[in-house]
Amino acid sequence: MWLSRLWIEDFRSYERAELTLSEGLTVVVGDNGTGKTNLIEAVAFALSLQSFRHAGTDALVRNGAERAIVRAELMVDERDLLVEIEIPSGRGSTRAQLNRQRLRRNADLAELGGVTVFAPDDLTVIKGGPGERRRAVDDAIVAVRPRYEPRRRELRKILDQRNALLRRHRNALTPDVVVTLDVWDQRLGEAGERWAATRRAFLDELRPYLLDAHRTISGAARELAVVYDPEWSHSGLPTALAAARDDDVRRGVTTVGPHRDDIVITLDGLPTRTHASQGEQRSVALALRLAIHRLATALNDGAPVLLLDDVFSELDVDRGAALLAALPRGQVVLTTATPPPPSAHPDRTISLTGDGIPGG
């Protein structure tokens, strides 16, 4: 799959813009503040119905506008497809169509080929708390295998229901409430263990790609490991929920399960979050994204569209060249405030001035 043309209206800083992309490498050049990230966020949204900056839809609509419009022409297996998205300001649901037929799930788009984004904020996956790593891994699972989205959604729904029950009856469980809580514990135990098994299987698949990508980018013979081994897994989630019930009732929230677990990334046995240098953390973050991209390419017989948002400003020349050399074939959109790396050979270059896209 590749995205050939993009139209946006009242999206972020853009009142109106039109963009033609290459099937290979497109480089978008512009000073800071000219809208490079906003532009590729629109590309990513057209391919996933999600903001890679984890922004709410309100933030995507230009200030003062009632709605934002994103339209994209895609080429998939020699078929022309049109994606049309309307994002309302304030309350209301995003509406999306594929060839004039309503799209109900972002998984429907992901199944066409998907998108991978490298951005400077990826460093928070390594430096941030457990929630950042959980979200990165869970998002990757669904991106690589869209059919797992219902499984993830089911877990969220059960957690919401259990937490709502705990909040309503905090420190005041009646026998009837205990029976209801037992039901939710059983459902959470089943759904939580199923999602944990999904995470472990995904990380097992990802591991060889991650190790290879890290060696390529860092050029260092360091032992990189990703460990997902929550304490509750040894006794089983139902047993852990039973043991934590008094604490859950007192606090009014579910304190154990996949939604609280950490995925620990280590270099030579030490956590990268606390023991790796800034350069090492950046290499691991890039290796993680590259590994996910390679796995998706291997599983789907084609590379997702790849967006590189100003990542080369954070890399030296050698690491930037190594990253480019390691990319699978496919469509790439690269943004930069400076001339692109010497090893980049763009098929199309677009210059931004901040008031639109003059072309290139």
Side-chain angles (χ1 to χ4, degrees):
M1 176 187 75
W2 65 287
L3 188 154
S4 57
R5 297 183 71 189
L6 178 80
W7 298 264
I8 54 177
E9 181 179 332
D10 292 325
F11 187 93
R12 289 283 194 180
S13 58
Y14 286 92
E15 181 176 357
R16 197 169 279 105
E18 181 177 341
L19 177 68
T20 300
L21 300 174
S22 164
E23 187 176 358
L25 174 61
T26 299
V27 173
V28 180
V29 183
D31 293 335
N32 292 331
T34 54
K36 299 187 301 296
T37 298
N38 293 345
L39 187 64
I40 66 165
E41 184 180 22
V43 174
F45 202 90
L47 297 171
S48 67
L49 299 183
Q50 292 180 323
S51 163
F52 66 81
R53 296 152 94 177
H54 306 291
T57 53
D58 263 356
L60 304 180
V61 181
R62 189 172 63 88
N63 187 34
E66 294 183 357
R67 62 180 184 173
I69 301 295
V70 177
R71 299 174 65 239
E73 286 184 356
L74 312 179
M75 179 65 72
V76 181
D77 297 330
E78 300 184 355
R79 293 179 296 144
D80 290 318
L81 301 178
L82 177 65
V83 174
E84 299 172 289
I85 306 168
E86 179 180 319
I87 308 165
S89 176
R91 295 186 177 181
S93 300
T94 296
R95 293 189 293 180
Q97 293 186 138
L98 178 64
N99 282 358
R100 309 296 185 183
Q101 299 297 311
R102 184 178 178 186
L103 270 171
R104 298 181 181 274
R105 309 175 306 145
N106 57 8
D108 294 332
L109 278 177
E111 288 169 355
L112 297 177
V115 60
T116 304
V117 183
F118 286 65
D121 285 350
D122 283 352
L123 196 58
T124 61
V125 175
I126 309 301
K127 297 179 66 173
E132 297 289 346
R133 287 178 287 283
R134 284 195 304 269
R135 180 166 62 184
V137 169
D138 291 352
D139 285 350
I141 290 170
V142 173
V144 170
R145 286 197 169 90
R147 68 179 183 274
Y148 286 150
E149 173 60 28
R151 187 177 296 185
R152 183 188 192 185
R153 192 165 55 242
E154 177 194 26
L155 176 60
R156 286 175 173 170
K157 182 177 179 181
I158 292 170
L159 271 169
D160 288 345
Q161 295 285 355
R162 188 179 192 271
N163 286 336
L165 181 67
L166 291 169
R167 286 193 301 271
R168 285 197 306 270
H169 301 281
R170 196 168 178 174
N171 289 321
L173 291 185
T174 65
D176 287 346
V177 174
V178 169
V179 171
T180 304
L181 188 56
D182 286 342
V183 172
W184 286 118
D185 282 7
Q186 180 181 354
R187 294 187 62 185
L188 178 57
E190 294 170 354
E193 290 194 339
R194 187 160 51 244
W195 189 251
T198 301
R199 277 182 185 160
R200 281 191 287 269
F202 174 77
L203 291 173
D204 285 344
E205 278 188 298
L206 186 69
R207 193 165 286 110
Y209 294 94
L210 178 60
L211 299 181
D212 183 66
H214 183 253
R215 283 192 297 268
T216 300
I217 293 171
S218 69
R222 305 287 301 277
E223 185 180 345
L224 178 64
V226 180
V227 180
Y228 177 53
D229 186 27
E231 289 186 14
W232 61 260
S233 64
H234 303 287
S235 61
L237 188 51
T239 299
L241 287 169
R245 176 172 288 192
D246 288 346
D247 194 31
D248 288 1
V249 170
R250 178 177 59 82
R251 297 172 61 179
V253 68
T254 304
T255 59
V256 62
H259 63 296
R260 300 294 293 268
D261 298 338
D262 197 1
I263 297 164
V264 181
I265 304 174
T266 64
L267 268 178
D268 294 338
L270 298 174
T272 54
R273 179 172 181 260
T274 54
H275 289 73
S277 69
Q278 182 93 345
E280 289 169 336
Q281 291 175 334
R282 187 172 293 114
S283 292
V284 172
L286 285 169
L288 180 61
R289 287 295 183 191
L290 179 56
I292 293 167
H293 187 72
R294 284 178 168 178
L295 177 59
T297 300
L299 292 177
N300 297 310
D301 297 323
V305 175
L306 177 60
L307 309 178
L308 304 172
D309 185 26
D310 203 28
V311 295
F312 293 96
S313 66
E314 305 288 335
L315 298 175
D316 58 35
V317 173
D318 290 341
R319 291 190 181 188
L323 175 60
L324 283 172
L327 298 177
R329 293 179 61 85
Q331 184 177 34
V332 180
V333 182
L334 182 161
T335 73
T336 178
T338 59
S343 54
H345 303 288
D347 300 291
R348 178 170 172 75
T349 300
I350 297 170
S351 298
L352 300 186
T353 62
D355 57 358
I357 302 173

